[in-house]
Amino acid sequence: MNERQRESTGFLLKQRAFLKVFLITEIEQGRSYGLQLRDILLTHFQAYGFKPHHSEIYHSLHELTEAGILRKREELEEGAKYKKLSIYTIEDEEKAKAYKKLVKADLDRCQGLINKALSHNYA
Amino acid sequence: MNERQRESTGFLLKQRAFLKVFLITEIEQGRSYGLQLRDILLTHFQAYGFKPHHSEIYHSLHELTEAGILRKREELEEGAKYKKLSIYTIEDEEKAKAYKKLVKADLDRCQGLINKALSHNYA
DNA sequence: GTATGAACACACTGTTCATAA
DNA sequence: TTATGAACAGTGTGTTCATAC
């Protein structure tokens, strides 16, 4: 989370924050695991050229877990083989909402910044 | 410049590119120098929390000059003291336009990406 | 104090490597 | 192959230092 990211030079949103709100949103709608979440991400954002590496997804999930927002549980998936999945669910709904709210403010700011750049430089 | 920035994971625009198009736009409207350009930048973008350090401005100006887009000329400013300024003007109008066009495509993409994030996560 | 620039340090992200089933 | 994770490496950016006037 790192509240000291305020008081930076404040350019655009960090990828990590972008990923975290996406992950929270998806997990709010049901249990899920790393690579599955990445697949969902790609269906939504690959059209915009965004295709983060799997390590970024895992790193984000780990940080959200350490922050007490998500809970991780390992499960054995029945199937042709026994595969161990790391299933994530929401641990603290309040913290999740608070974090999403924080990032929304930054997304709004970025939207303004980019719109301003477009109108200023391409009038 | 660096055309190989295509085929990255393509998150948001780099600050350097943002600064470069701003600098080109301002310099197209008249000769100017580093810290003056930074002041103009702040009047437009500080409201969005963007306040880049002066070294970033200089670095951007240097790169644009190396790329043959800008031309640098040192001048002595008359005043209470003789102060040496680095005045920039457009060196190659075509290259400047081409670069701005390139970055506009990325700005448009970012606009879409952010709008998508807002609608997806905050429906 | 203003102006320019370089050098250094760090944070973020991307690639590679390791392990398991 | 899918899945998870760690370790490493590189790039961009922020801070500090140096110089001049």
Side-chain angles (χ1 to χ4, degrees), chain A residues 14-16 53 55-56 82:
Chain A
K14 291 286 182 292
Q15 173 174 289
R16 192 69 52 83
H53 213 262
S55 59
E56 277 298 305
Y82 284 76

Short mmCIF file of all heavy atoms in Angstrom, two decimals, chain A residues 14-16 53 55-56 82, chain C residues 12-17 21:
data_model
loop_
_atom_site.label_atom_id
_atom_site.label_comp_id
_atom_site.label_asym_id
_atom_site.label_seq_id
_atom_site.Cartn_x
_atom_site.Cartn_y
_atom_site.Cartn_z
N LYS A 14 0.89 3.76 -10.90
CA LYS A 14 1.80 2.63 -11.02
C LYS A 14 1.04 1.38 -11.47
O LYS A 14 -0.09 1.15 -11.07
CB LYS A 14 2.47 2.35 -9.68
CG LYS A 14 3.45 3.43 -9.25
CD LYS A 14 4.72 3.36 -10.05
CE LYS A 14 5.71 4.41 -9.59
NZ LYS A 14 5.23 5.78 -9.91
N GLN A 15 1.72 0.61 -12.27
CA GLN A 15 1.13 -0.65 -12.75
C GLN A 15 0.65 -1.52 -11.59
O GLN A 15 -0.41 -2.14 -11.65
CB GLN A 15 2.16 -1.40 -13.58
CG GLN A 15 1.75 -2.79 -14.01
CD GLN A 15 2.76 -3.42 -14.96
OE1 GLN A 15 2.89 -3.01 -16.09
NE2 GLN A 15 3.47 -4.41 -14.48
N ARG A 16 1.45 -1.56 -10.54
CA ARG A 16 1.11 -2.39 -9.39
C ARG A 16 -0.27 -2.03 -8.80
O ARG A 16 -1.07 -2.91 -8.48
CB ARG A 16 2.20 -2.24 -8.32
CG ARG A 16 2.16 -3.22 -7.19
CD ARG A 16 2.50 -4.65 -7.59
NE ARG A 16 3.74 -4.82 -8.31
CZ ARG A 16 4.95 -4.91 -7.74
NH1 ARG A 16 5.06 -4.89 -6.44
NH2 ARG A 16 6.02 -5.08 -8.47
N HIS A 53 3.44 -9.47 -17.18
CA HIS A 53 4.05 -10.77 -16.96
C HIS A 53 3.43 -11.41 -15.72
O HIS A 53 2.97 -10.73 -14.82
CB HIS A 53 5.56 -10.61 -16.78
CG HIS A 53 6.34 -11.76 -17.31
ND1 HIS A 53 6.79 -12.77 -16.50
CD2 HIS A 53 6.70 -12.08 -18.57
CE1 HIS A 53 7.44 -13.66 -17.25
NE2 HIS A 53 7.41 -13.26 -18.50
N SER A 55 4.68 -12.75 -13.20
CA SER A 55 5.30 -12.42 -11.91
C SER A 55 4.69 -11.17 -11.28
O SER A 55 4.63 -11.05 -10.06
CB SER A 55 6.80 -12.24 -12.08
OG SER A 55 7.09 -11.21 -12.99
N GLU A 56 4.23 -10.26 -12.11
CA GLU A 56 3.59 -9.05 -11.59
C GLU A 56 2.26 -9.38 -10.91
O GLU A 56 1.90 -8.76 -9.90
CB GLU A 56 3.35 -8.04 -12.71
CG GLU A 56 4.56 -7.19 -13.03
CD GLU A 56 5.00 -6.34 -11.85
OE1 GLU A 56 4.17 -5.59 -11.33
OE2 GLU A 56 6.16 -6.46 -11.43
N TYR A 82 -3.56 -34.22 -9.46
CA TYR A 82 -3.77 -33.37 -8.31
C TYR A 82 -2.88 -32.15 -8.46
O TYR A 82 -1.67 -32.26 -8.45
CB TYR A 82 -3.43 -34.13 -7.02
CG TYR A 82 -4.50 -35.11 -6.64
CD1 TYR A 82 -4.62 -36.32 -7.31
CD2 TYR A 82 -5.41 -34.83 -5.63
CE1 TYR A 82 -5.61 -37.22 -6.99
CE2 TYR A 82 -6.40 -35.72 -5.30
CZ TYR A 82 -6.50 -36.92 -5.98
OH TYR A 82 -7.49 -37.80 -5.64
P DC C 12 8.06 1.74 -5.88
OP1 DC C 12 6.90 2.61 -5.67
OP2 DC C 12 8.39 0.65 -4.95
"O5'" DC C 12 7.96 1.14 -7.35
"C5'" DC C 12 7.91 2.04 -8.46
"C4'" DC C 12 8.16 1.26 -9.74
"O4'" DC C 12 9.51 0.78 -9.74
"C3'" DC C 12 7.26 0.04 -9.91
"O3'" DC C 12 6.48 0.25 -11.07
"C2'" DC C 12 8.24 -1.13 -10.02
"C1'" DC C 12 9.53 -0.46 -10.42
N1 DC C 12 10.82 -1.12 -10.05
C2 DC C 12 11.77 -1.42 -11.05
O2 DC C 12 11.50 -1.16 -12.23
N3 DC C 12 12.95 -1.97 -10.70
C4 DC C 12 13.21 -2.23 -9.42
N4 DC C 12 14.39 -2.76 -9.12
C5 DC C 12 12.27 -1.94 -8.38
C6 DC C 12 11.08 -1.39 -8.74
P DT C 13 5.34 -0.75 -11.52
OP1 DT C 13 4.32 -0.01 -12.25
OP2 DT C 13 4.98 -1.62 -10.37
"O5'" DT C 13 6.15 -1.62 -12.58
"C5'" DT C 13 6.87 -0.95 -13.60
"C4'" DT C 13 7.79 -1.91 -14.32
"O4'" DT C 13 8.88 -2.31 -13.46
"C3'" DT C 13 7.12 -3.20 -14.81
"O3'" DT C 13 7.46 -3.33 -16.16
"C2'" DT C 13 7.77 -4.28 -13.94
"C1'" DT C 13 9.14 -3.68 -13.69
N1 DT C 13 9.89 -4.17 -12.51
C2 DT C 13 11.19 -4.59 -12.69
O2 DT C 13 11.73 -4.60 -13.79
N3 DT C 13 11.82 -5.01 -11.55
C4 DT C 13 11.30 -5.04 -10.27
O4 DT C 13 11.97 -5.43 -9.32
C5 DT C 13 9.94 -4.59 -10.15
C7 DT C 13 9.27 -4.57 -8.80
C6 DT C 13 9.31 -4.18 -11.26
P DG C 14 6.68 -4.38 -17.10
OP1 DG C 14 6.14 -3.62 -18.23
OP2 DG C 14 5.79 -5.20 -16.27
"O5'" DG C 14 7.87 -5.29 -17.62
"C5'" DG C 14 9.08 -4.68 -18.06
"C4'" DG C 14 10.09 -5.76 -18.38
"O4'" DG C 14 10.79 -6.13 -17.16
"C3'" DG C 14 9.48 -7.03 -18.94
"O3'" DG C 14 10.32 -7.49 -20.00
"C2'" DG C 14 9.46 -7.98 -17.75
"C1'" DG C 14 10.65 -7.51 -16.92
N9 DG C 14 10.50 -7.68 -15.48
C8 DG C 14 9.40 -7.42 -14.70
N7 DG C 14 9.58 -7.66 -13.43
C5 DG C 14 10.89 -8.11 -13.36
C6 DG C 14 11.66 -8.51 -12.24
O6 DG C 14 11.32 -8.56 -11.05
N1 DG C 14 12.95 -8.89 -12.61
C2 DG C 14 13.43 -8.87 -13.90
N2 DG C 14 14.69 -9.26 -14.07
N3 DG C 14 12.73 -8.49 -14.96
C4 DG C 14 11.47 -8.12 -14.61
P DT C 15 10.06 -8.89 -20.69
OP1 DT C 15 10.37 -8.69 -22.11
OP2 DT C 15 8.77 -9.44 -20.25
"O5'" DT C 15 11.22 -9.80 -20.06
"C5'" DT C 15 12.55 -9.31 -20.09
"C4'" DT C 15 13.50 -10.36 -19.51
"O4'" DT C 15 13.35 -10.41 -18.08
"C3'" DT C 15 13.26 -11.77 -20.04
"O3'" DT C 15 14.51 -12.28 -20.49
"C2'" DT C 15 12.71 -12.54 -18.83
"C1'" DT C 15 13.26 -11.75 -17.65
N1 DT C 15 12.39 -11.74 -16.44
C2 DT C 15 12.94 -12.06 -15.23
O2 DT C 15 14.10 -12.37 -15.08
N3 DT C 15 12.06 -12.00 -14.16
C4 DT C 15 10.72 -11.65 -14.21
O4 DT C 15 10.03 -11.63 -13.20
C5 DT C 15 10.21 -11.32 -15.52
C7 DT C 15 8.78 -10.94 -15.68
C6 DT C 15 11.06 -11.38 -16.55
P DT C 16 14.59 -13.78 -21.07
OP1 DT C 16 15.65 -13.76 -22.10
OP2 DT C 16 13.25 -14.28 -21.40
"O5'" DT C 16 15.14 -14.58 -19.80
"C5'" DT C 16 16.25 -14.06 -19.08
"C4'" DT C 16 16.46 -14.86 -17.79
"O4'" DT C 16 15.41 -14.57 -16.85
"C3'" DT C 16 16.45 -16.38 -17.99
"O3'" DT C 16 17.67 -16.90 -17.47
"C2'" DT C 16 15.24 -16.85 -17.18
"C1'" DT C 16 15.08 -15.75 -16.17
N1 DT C 16 13.70 -15.57 -15.62
C2 DT C 16 13.51 -15.64 -14.27
O2 DT C 16 14.41 -15.85 -13.47
N3 DT C 16 12.21 -15.45 -13.86
C4 DT C 16 11.11 -15.20 -14.67
O4 DT C 16 10.01 -15.05 -14.19
C5 DT C 16 11.40 -15.14 -16.09
C7 DT C 16 10.28 -14.87 -17.05
C6 DT C 16 12.67 -15.33 -16.49
P DC C 17 18.01 -18.44 -17.64
OP1 DC C 17 19.47 -18.51 -17.81
OP2 DC C 17 17.10 -19.07 -18.62
"O5'" DC C 17 17.65 -19.00 -16.19
"C5'" DC C 17 18.35 -18.50 -15.06
"C4'" DC C 17 17.74 -19.06 -13.78
"O4'" DC C 17 16.38 -18.56 -13.65
"C3'" DC C 17 17.64 -20.59 -13.73
"O3'" DC C 17 18.23 -21.05 -12.51
"C2'" DC C 17 16.14 -20.87 -13.79
"C1'" DC C 17 15.56 -19.60 -13.18
N1 DC C 17 14.16 -19.29 -13.60
C2 DC C 17 13.18 -19.09 -12.63
O2 DC C 17 13.49 -19.17 -11.43
N3 DC C 17 11.92 -18.79 -13.02
C4 DC C 17 11.63 -18.70 -14.32
N4 DC C 17 10.38 -18.41 -14.65
C5 DC C 17 12.61 -18.91 -15.32
C6 DC C 17 13.86 -19.20 -14.94
P DA C 21 4.54 -32.09 -5.50
OP1 DA C 21 3.86 -32.12 -4.20
OP2 DA C 21 5.62 -33.05 -5.81
"O5'" DA C 21 3.45 -32.20 -6.65
"C5'" DA C 21 2.34 -31.31 -6.65
"C4'" DA C 21 1.60 -31.46 -7.96
"O4'" DA C 21 2.42 -30.94 -9.04
"C3'" DA C 21 1.28 -32.90 -8.33
"O3'" DA C 21 -0.10 -33.02 -8.67
"C2'" DA C 21 2.16 -33.19 -9.54
"C1'" DA C 21 2.32 -31.82 -10.14
N9 DA C 21 3.51 -31.65 -10.97
C8 DA C 21 4.78 -32.11 -10.73
N7 DA C 21 5.64 -31.81 -11.67
C5 DA C 21 4.89 -31.10 -12.59
C6 DA C 21 5.21 -30.50 -13.81
N6 DA C 21 6.43 -30.53 -14.34
N1 DA C 21 4.21 -29.88 -14.48
C2 DA C 21 2.99 -29.86 -13.95
N3 DA C 21 2.57 -30.38 -12.80
C4 DA C 21 3.57 -31.00 -12.17
#
